[in-house]
């Protein structure tokens, strides 16, 4: 359902009652919405687009368990991702948590150039400059291997060519006639006997 550029300041109640149980995509972009109180009636909603409205931090968003995509571009709202899987939690006692959190902030700032607040902290000019320098070089942590991952069966991949077989191996074993005496070595020429 698309209700774009209709000068709506709220979601019409009759639409919520009529379509709330069945609509999966709702686009309310380019309106003048200041609150979204009756969004809770949209039980099947998977995608909600509220770009270019007047929503701010006072807007109360109901829990919509089916929601997968939320777009809030060009609103008066700051981004809070605390307690989200994308944000390092800081509660595990890991000494790298503060560094992880700062790196996460840098990555978000690099992508969202006009963001003014992130996780209830204002974004400073210095932090934005540092993000521009550091964020492109931040790498993701390697995943932790769990017990379930360790129990996966080995793959049939081999770096050897398919024509190579174990029976085709032509290794040799023997002794060499050459004996190294160290006469031609210059590695020890600057070490005197007194230094040994």
């Amino acid at each position: 359902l698309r209700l774009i550029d209709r000068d709506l300041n709220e979601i019409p109640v009759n639409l919520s009652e009529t379509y709330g149980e069945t609509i999966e995509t709702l686009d309310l972009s380019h309106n003048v919405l200041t609150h979204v109180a009756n969004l809770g009636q949209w039980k099947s909603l998977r995608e909600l687009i509220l770009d270019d409205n007047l929503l701010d931090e006072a807007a109360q968003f109901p829990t919509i368990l089916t929601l997968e995509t939320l777009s809030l571009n060009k609103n008066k709202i700051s981004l809070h991702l605390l307690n989200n899987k994308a944000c390092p939690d800081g509660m595990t006692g890991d000494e790298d948590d503060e560094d992880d959190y700062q790196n996460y902030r840098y990555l978000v700032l690099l992508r969202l150039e006009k963001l003014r607040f992130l996780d209830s902290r204002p974004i400073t000019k210095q932090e934005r400059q540092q993000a521009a320098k550091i964020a492109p070089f931040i790498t993701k942590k390697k995943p932790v291997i769990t017990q379930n991952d360790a129990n996966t069966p080995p793959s049939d991949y081999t770096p050897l060519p398919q024509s190579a077989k174990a029976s085709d191996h032509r290794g040799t074993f023997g002794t060499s006639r050459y004996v190294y005496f160290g006469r031609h070595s210059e590695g020890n020429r600057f070490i005197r006997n007194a230094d040994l």
Side-chain angles (χ1 to χ4, degrees), residues 106-155:
Y106 289 153
L107 286 171
V108 171
L109 293 180
L110 186 68
R111 303 276 192 272
L112 304 174
E113 297 171 359
K114 295 185 180 184
L115 192 64
R116 294 179 293 138
F117 286 86
L118 177 59
D119 297 333
S120 73
R121 284 181 22 197
I123 296 165
T124 64
K125 182 178 179 181
Q126 292 82 8
E127 188 176 27
R128 194 171 298 282
Q129 290 170 344
Q130 192 70 3
K133 290 179 191 176
I134 294 176
F137 304 104
I138 295 174
T139 59
K140 296 178 182 175
K141 280 189 170 182
K142 293 181 179 177
V144 177
I145 297 176
T146 63
Q147 187 65 25
N148 292 338
D149 295 335
N151 293 335
T152 56
S155 69

Side-chain angles (χ1 to χ4, degrees), residues 12 23 35 37 46 61 76 79 82 84 88 93 104 107 155 158 162 185 192:
I23 296 294
H35 62 88
R46 296 179 69 199
F61 285 86
K76 300 175 180 179
L79 183 62
L82 293 173
N84 184 298
Y104 140 82
L107 286 171
S155 69
T158 176
Q162 293 297 327
S185 171
R192 307 277 181 231

Side-chain angles (χ1 to χ4, degrees), residues 82 87-107 118-119 121 127 134 138 141:
L82 293 173
C87 176
D89 63 1
M91 301 298 283
T92 58
D94 187 1
E95 61 190 40
D96 294 330
D97 280 344
E98 187 59 37
D99 291 336
D100 288 345
Y101 178 74
Q102 190 59 54
N103 289 342
Y104 140 82
R105 282 182 67 89
Y106 289 153
L107 286 171
L118 177 59
D119 297 333
R121 284 181 22 197
E127 188 176 27
I134 294 176
I138 295 174
K141 280 189 170 182

Side-chain angles (χ1 to χ4, degrees), residues 12-52:
V13 176
N14 62 341
L15 288 177
S16 299
E17 292 170 354
T18 307
Y19 300 108
E21 296 289 326
T22 58
I23 296 294
E24 292 184 1
T25 300
L26 179 60
D27 189 347
L28 296 166
S29 299
H30 307 286
N31 285 294
V32 289
L33 294 175
T34 56
H35 62 88
V36 287
N38 56 355
L39 267 178
Q41 297 175 341
W42 299 77
K43 304 291 185 191
S44 301
L45 209 53
R46 296 179 69 199
E47 183 178 17
L48 177 59
I49 304 166
L50 297 170
D51 296 342
D52 199 16

Side-chain angles (χ1 to χ4, degrees), residues 41-80:
Q41 297 175 341
W42 299 77
K43 304 291 185 191
S44 301
L45 209 53
R46 296 179 69 199
E47 183 178 17
L48 177 59
I49 304 166
L50 297 170
D51 296 342
D52 199 16
N53 279 289
L54 301 176
L55 297 170
D56 59 12
E57 278 126 24
Q60 296 291 315
F61 285 86
T63 300
I64 304 172
L65 298 176
T66 57
L67 193 63
E68 296 172 357
T69 304
L70 174 62
S71 182
L72 291 167
N73 297 314
K74 295 186 179 180
N75 277 286
K76 300 175 180 179
I77 202 163
S78 62
L79 183 62
H80 298 275

